[in-house]
Amino acid sequence: MTEKSDNSHIELADREQEIFRRVVEAYIETGEPLGSRSLSRQLTENLSAASVRNVMADLEYLGLIFAPHTSAGRLPTEAGLRFFVDSFMEFGAPETNDRREIEAQLDRAASSPSMDTMLTEASEFLSGVAGGAGLVLVGKRDVRVRHVEFVPLEKTRALGILVGEDGSVENRVLDLAPGTTPSQLTAAGNWLNAHVAGRTLSEARQTIANLRAQTRAELDELAAALVEKGIATWVRGDDANSDQSHGSAGQLIVRGRSRLLEDVRAAEDLDRARLLFDDLEAKNDILSLLGQAEAGEGVRIFIGSENKLFSLSGSSVVMAPYKDAEQKIVGAVGVIGPTRLNYRRIVPVVDYTAQTLSRLMQARLG
């Protein structure tokens, strides 16, 4: 149902798991920090407050909990909440009452001549359940891109933000190649904004593919000339013997460095080839980023600072896409609220609301 982050590097012993779970559950229920003395009385294992504090210190070291101020109890960090949601929570079907209310409200709204009525009902229902704001994103297929931005989250993850000409905003968490820098993400966003603004996502992909093909053709022509002159060797694919790999773009293995010093034009051509390699690789990366940003399946959970889209501190977003009769994603519904959302209840409700909207829209438009 949900897409999970990679927390596989964190392993907790049974005692640590129980203490961590109780700290998080206390925060979700009350919003207050949980102290070691109170926690020691709740544990199934007989532990002193001092022993509990030692375990808490280990959890703090892992970045899962923190003390909001001196001599206070502990609260989960944003990373701790993410770890808890990904590793400790199991999401099933929504509660019977929630399911019936979703169906009743949306079925009534489906008889309205305006589809906006149905979407408004979905938003209002989710707002009531979450105690926050209900969200609806509409019309994904027809949106033309106004602005694209990539915001780094972690070393290998970024947030792709797509702003449409109609004012709609969508975000996707993207997986990055190791070594990707923030400046490269900024450059990718700037390049996209210069070349695809005003186009739909499908048109944008085609534009990038065409530019990539032009770059590849220019590179092939230049490489052939250098090979013909005996200055370089052109290799397709990876080559374990070369100093630098360019994958599917091929490689240009330079030889005869002394000859290059005598032939200024050849040196210029070689520099141009290197620039084309970089250009082709950048277009491949940009195409991959755009494809990930457009894709979206299942419930997405953004906790705290992961939620760059709305620029709200101390909030979480839970969203799920809904589809048309052709099973294409046409929008998304969800909620935005405090990080201590009742995820166990909210996630199934958002998912079921999206499924119900899909069913009603397919019946209406099919």
Side-chain angles (χ1 to χ4, degrees):
M1 179 188 297
T2 62
E3 294 197 8
K4 295 189 175 184
S5 302
D6 183 12
N7 292 304
S8 57
H9 63 287
I10 299 179
E11 294 184 5
L12 300 182
D14 291 344
R15 179 182 295 178
E16 293 172 323
Q17 287 186 26
E18 184 178 6
I19 289 175
F20 174 63
R21 178 177 58 79
R22 289 184 181 274
V23 169
V24 176
E25 289 177 346
Y27 169 69
I28 290 175
E29 182 178 351
T30 69
E32 299 296 326
L34 185 60
S36 57
R37 191 172 300 278
S38 298
L39 186 49
S40 67
R41 292 194 291 265
Q42 299 176 16
L43 298 175
T44 54
E45 182 182 359
N46 186 20
L47 284 180
S48 66
S51 296
V52 171
R53 283 194 294 272
N54 288 336
V55 175
M56 284 180 161
D58 292 337
L59 294 172
E60 279 192 76
Y61 177 77
L62 292 172
L64 299 178
I65 64 174
F66 74 103
H69 48 81
T70 307
S71 301
R74 299 299 187 271
L75 292 173
T77 62
E78 289 179 3
L81 280 173
R82 166 57 64 186
F83 178 60
F84 182 79
V85 168
D86 288 350
S87 303
F88 285 74
M89 281 193 170
E90 294 183 2
F91 302 104
E95 298 174 5
T96 301
N97 290 340
D98 286 335
R99 189 169 64 249
R100 288 174 178 170
E101 191 170 351
I102 293 168
E103 292 172 350
Q105 286 195 224
L106 295 186
D107 282 342
R108 284 195 302 269
S111 61
S112 168
S114 172
M115 192 172 296
D116 289 345
T117 302
M118 187 165 59
L119 297 174
T120 299
E121 285 291 331
S123 177
E124 290 181 354
F125 171 76
L126 290 172
S127 175
V129 170
L135 302 174
V136 176
L137 297 177
V138 189
K140 176 177 179 179
R141 286 185 302 168
D142 299 325
V143 171
R144 291 187 178 276
V145 177
R146 176 191 295 168
H147 180 76
V148 181
E149 184 175 354
F150 301 107
V151 180
L153 298 176
E154 301 170 5
K155 289 184 178 180
T156 57
R157 296 172 74 226
L159 186 74
I161 303 174
L162 303 178
V163 181
E165 288 187 343
D166 62 350
S168 61
V169 183
E170 298 183 28
N171 70 333
R172 296 285 183 267
V173 175
L174 318 175
D175 294 323
L176 304 176
T180 302
T181 65
S183 61
Q184 288 174 321
L185 291 176
T186 300
N190 291 340
W191 191 93
L192 279 170
N193 291 322
H195 289 83
V196 305
R199 293 179 168 87
T200 64
L201 287 171
S202 59
E203 291 171 346
R205 283 199 310 273
Q206 188 59 51
T207 297
I208 297 171
N210 291 341
L211 290 170
R212 184 177 60 172
Q214 293 171 15
T215 300
R216 183 54 187 264
E218 186 177 354
L219 175 60
D220 283 348
E221 182 179 353
L222 181 56
L226 288 169
V227 170
E228 186 177 348
K229 293 178 181 179
I231 293 171
T233 302
W234 179 235
V235 180
R236 296 284 187 180
D238 293 331
D239 188 310
N241 297 320
S242 65
D243 294 331
Q244 188 174 8
S245 171
H246 291 275
S248 60
Q251 298 150 16
L252 197 63
I253 302 174
V254 179
R255 59 185 182 183
R257 291 179 180 272
S258 59
R259 288 190 57 197
L260 284 177
L261 296 176
E262 299 170 0
D263 191 337
V264 176
R265 177 60 187 274
E268 291 175 351
D269 285 347
L270 185 61
D271 287 340
R272 174 64 181 156
R274 285 170 175 160
L275 289 174
L276 286 170
F277 271 125
D278 293 340
D279 191 24
L280 185 61
E281 187 173 338
K283 287 185 175 67
N284 288 336
D285 292 342
I286 288 171
L287 199 60
S288 175
L289 282 172
L290 190 65
Q292 289 186 65
E294 185 185 9
E297 292 288 344
V299 180
R300 299 290 185 106
I301 303 172
F302 301 94
I303 297 175
S305 60
E306 296 175 354
N307 174 22
K308 300 293 185 182
L309 176 61
F310 298 97
S311 300
L312 296 175
S313 60
S315 64
S316 287
V317 174
V318 179
M319 300 196 74
Y322 57 88
K323 303 177 182 179
D324 63 10
E326 298 176 354
Q327 293 300 302
K328 293 181 179 178
I329 295 173
V330 293
V333 293
V335 298
I336 179 169
T339 54
R340 62 186 196 90
L341 280 173
N342 183 348
Y343 298 98
R344 188 170 278 111
R345 181 189 180 198
I346 297 298
V347 170
V349 164
V350 168
D351 187 47
Y352 193 73
T353 301
Q355 292 178 32
T356 304
L357 267 179
S358 297
R359 173 177 59 80
L360 294 174
M361 291 187 71
Q362 289 163 17
R364 187 185 188 112
L365 301 176

